[in-house]
Amino acid sequence: MYLVESKGGAIGCMLLSLFFLGTWPAILTLLERRGRLPQHTYLDYTITNLLAAVIIAFTFGEIRAGTPEAPNFLQQLSQDNWSSVLFAMAGGIVLSLGNLATQYAWAFVGLSVTEVVTCSITVVIGTTLNYFLDGKINRAEILFPGVGCFLIAVCLGSAVHASNAADNRRKLNNLLGNGKVDARAIYVYNGTTANEGPKDVENGNESTEKAEVGTADFLVEVENRRSIKVFGRSAILGLSITFFAGFCFSLFSPAFNLATNDQWHTLKEGVPHLSVYTAFFYFSVSCFIVAIILNISFLYRPVLNLPKTSFKAYLNDWNGRGWALLAGLLCGFGNGLQFMGGQAAGYAAADAVQALPLVSTFWGVIIFGEYRRSSRKTYVLLFGMLFMFIVAVGVLMASSGHRK
């Protein structure tokens, strides 16, 4: 079994995890904006998410001969360690619920703000729990100022969303006032309307004329093409989903910490602690089971007025499937690397990967045109939010300790 033992190796795992975990949400958001049903996308995603855990278990978990104190992955499968296994599976359940919720929150609140709010809640609650579970191996005088930076970032993230929503309403109101929208064929967005526009036969719902990014026409074009319709929906709904997801995310890392380090002494005497790889395998299995059950039920009983579909329709939906499978691999390897780094340097420090909105915001601006043609106030808040995240990730990594 291979273990990350150096502080430098742990930080390397965190940085790679940060990139992976910041990229996969952008892929799923892209598919939703292209009109693919989120139930179909998430079923594909969860298959490769589990596959990543299996690959990690049979490579890093079996790379060296095991010892009685540190058995390999396959050796641990037959040991009496179910108390720790249950902690790992509990972590997988809350992560699955959080990921599922964010899939809908991205449509309502936007990729950047959703990631900022959920990750900040994760750090404020989860990092505090991990600090005490890890026996305070991280430097509190550095760690908690970093947590404070995340807390400031979540406030700025909410302000960015409110300011950007006001900018969008202003753009759409101007579009309506210019007579460019037919009020009889509309979606409603806080009292503002939007026309579907002419359809391109080859590309389905895509408009025949590409609107300039950041304009009101662009907002209308995105709304008409996407699978989750958000015009006319309350922003409170989106923020509520986001805060629920953040609460779920705040619990998965402490649960995994308990699974691998047994701070509550639930294992029988002589039974070795779960390795990162065994715990991650059980963690991912429970994540997979919850995702499969919920998303198959959502095929036939969809939420948020999405159209009904079927398992057969899902199997036949190959539009964007490769991207969804890639997203699952990125998320799976990202989580695995986070846990590998956390086992070496402390799970509180490993929560630095929750600065993934730095990556997500980059993709959001480059790919989706978020915040294009927004007001100066929105830009100031956006840069302030990103600055606090840059400070926070540096501070949390600087607090890294070393597990004995």
Side-chain angles (χ1 to χ4, degrees):
M1 177 176 63
Y2 173 77
L3 292 176
V4 178
E5 297 178 348
S6 68
K7 184 176 178 180
I11 291 176
C13 286
M14 295 177 203
L15 291 174
L16 194 56
S17 173
L18 175 63
F19 176 75
F20 287 169
L21 292 177
T23 299
W24 75 266
I27 296 175
L28 263 60
T29 302
L30 177 65
L31 294 177
E32 185 275 322
R33 288 193 171 206
R34 288 181 174 179
R36 194 167 198 250
L37 291 175
Q39 307 97 303
H40 293 186
T41 297
Y42 203 84
L43 283 170
D44 289 333
Y45 151 89
T46 199
I47 292 170
T48 47
N49 189 57
L50 175 62
L51 178 61
V54 173
I55 293 173
I56 289 174
F58 280 97
T59 52
F60 292 110
E62 290 285 325
I63 201 169
R64 297 174 182 169
T67 65
E69 296 78 19
N72 281 343
F73 166 67
L74 290 176
Q75 292 173 320
Q76 287 205 310
L77 293 181
S78 60
Q79 293 179 341
D80 185 13
N81 47 28
W82 279 101
S83 57
S84 292
V85 168
L86 291 176
F87 280 122
M89 296 185 77
I93 290 171
V94 292
L95 177 66
S96 186
L97 293 174
N99 282 342
L100 186 60
T102 55
Q103 185 178 216
Y104 296 94
W106 293 326
F108 285 91
V109 186
L111 178 64
S112 302
V113 173
T114 299
E115 296 303 309
V116 168
V117 174
T118 56
C119 292
S120 297
I121 295 172
T122 300
V123 168
V124 171
I125 300 176
T127 300
T128 302
L129 293 175
N130 278 324
Y131 171 74
F132 291 102
L133 287 173
D134 280 337
K136 304 178 182 180
I137 66 174
N138 301 101
R139 299 174 62 185
E141 67 275 15
I142 299 178
L143 177 70
F144 287 105
V147 173
C149 291
F150 274 100
L151 188 58
I152 295 172
V154 73
C155 297
L156 289 173
S158 298
V160 168
H161 169 66
S163 179
N164 193 54
D167 293 340
N168 289 341
R169 284 195 298 271
R170 187 160 46 250
K171 294 173 186 177
L172 291 168
N173 280 327
N174 290 337
L175 185 66
L176 180 63
N178 290 335
K180 296 182 180 180
V181 176
D182 181 359
R184 293 170 298 178
I186 58 174
Y187 289 117
V188 182
Y189 180 70
N190 290 345
T192 306
T193 58
N195 183 32
E196 288 196 20
K199 296 290 194 295
D200 184 298
V201 176
E202 181 179 353
N203 297 318
N205 287 341
E206 192 170 356
S207 175
T208 55
E209 295 183 3
K210 289 288 185 180
E212 188 174 351
V213 175
T215 64
D217 291 317
F218 175 77
L219 297 175
V220 172
E221 185 179 276
V222 170
E223 173 70 7
N224 292 331
R225 187 171 59 240
R226 72 188 320 160
S227 59
I228 303 175
K229 304 302 181 184
V230 299
F231 281 12
R233 301 290 184 88
S234 171
I236 296 177
L237 174 61
L239 288 174
S240 298
I241 298 173
T242 303
F243 275 93
F244 170 78
F247 178 75
C248 290
F249 288 151
S250 70
L251 300 178
F252 83 85
S253 181
F256 194 92
N257 195 347
L258 286 167
T260 54
N261 295 299
D262 191 37
Q263 291 92 336
W264 292 351
H265 307 292
T266 58
L267 290 173
K268 294 180 181 179
E269 186 176 354
V271 178
H273 294 174
L274 283 187
S275 71
V276 172
Y277 312 111
T278 308
F280 186 47
F281 172 76
Y282 284 113
F283 175 94
S284 299
V285 167
S286 65
C287 191
F288 173 81
I289 292 172
V290 170
I292 290 293
I293 292 173
L294 289 178
N295 279 280
I296 289 180
S297 66
F298 287 163
L299 293 177
Y300 301 94
R301 296 180 178 84
V303 297
L304 301 176
N305 295 324
L306 285 165
K308 286 185 178 182
T309 180
S310 65
F311 192 73
K312 181 179 179 181
Y314 156 69
L315 293 176
N316 292 328
D317 182 11
W318 287 91
N319 182 27
R321 172 157 288 160
W323 287 108
L325 295 173
L326 174 62
L329 286 174
L330 289 174
C331 182
F333 282 112
N335 284 329
L337 288 166
Q338 176 187 354
F339 295 143
M340 290 167 65
Q343 187 64 19
Y347 286 96
D351 283 337
V353 304
Q354 297 303 326
L356 60 92
L358 291 172
V359 180
S360 295
T361 299
F362 172 80
W363 293 126
V365 172
I366 297 299
I367 298 178
F368 309 127
E370 290 186 351
Y371 310 114
R372 300 283 183 90
R373 297 176 178 270
S374 292
S375 64
R376 180 177 297 179
K377 176 183 176 182
T378 299
Y379 287 138
V380 170
L381 292 170
L382 175 64
F383 287 125
M385 177 189 77
L386 295 177
F387 174 76
M388 293 311 302
F389 262 95
I390 293 171
V391 172
V393 68
V395 172
L396 256 66
M397 286 188 176
S399 75
S400 298
H402 189 272
R403 193 182 305 279
K404 297 180 180 178

